[in-house]
Amino acid sequence: CVVSGCSREVCADEEVMTTCVYRPEFACYREAVCEKQANGSCGWSMTDTLTSCLAAPPVGGLEVEVQ
């Protein structure tokens, strides 16, 4: 499993490209674990820390699209 995407917000089997949009909840994935899940697919392990962060993401401003 690899962490990818422009804002490092995707956990997948291989590198993927995403649009370069930043959302406050993407900060929650900085310390999250990207690994094989019980269903065999790659994904973020939903720890208590990640779940609570996603419920109330850090205040970081508006969505910004990088050109």
Side-chain angles (χ1 to χ4, degrees):
C1 297
V2 294
V3 177
S4 63
C6 184
S7 297
R8 312 300 289 163
E9 78 280 17
V10 176
C11 174
D13 292 325
E14 59 188 40
E15 289 279 335
V16 297
M17 298 294 292
T18 62
T19 56
C20 290
V21 172
Y22 179 79
R23 296 176 53 121
E25 58 266 27
F26 292 170
C28 300
Y29 297 111
R30 287 186 202 142
E31 303 297 321
V33 177
C34 171
E35 61 188 355
K36 288 267 186 205
Q37 302 299 305
N39 65 4
S41 296
C42 292
W44 299 107
S45 292
M46 295 305 292
T47 62
D48 290 342
T49 302
L50 180 56
T51 301
S52 62
C53 183
L54 291 172
V59 176
L62 304 171
E63 264 187 37
V64 177
E65 185 169 341
V66 178
Q67 302 274 331

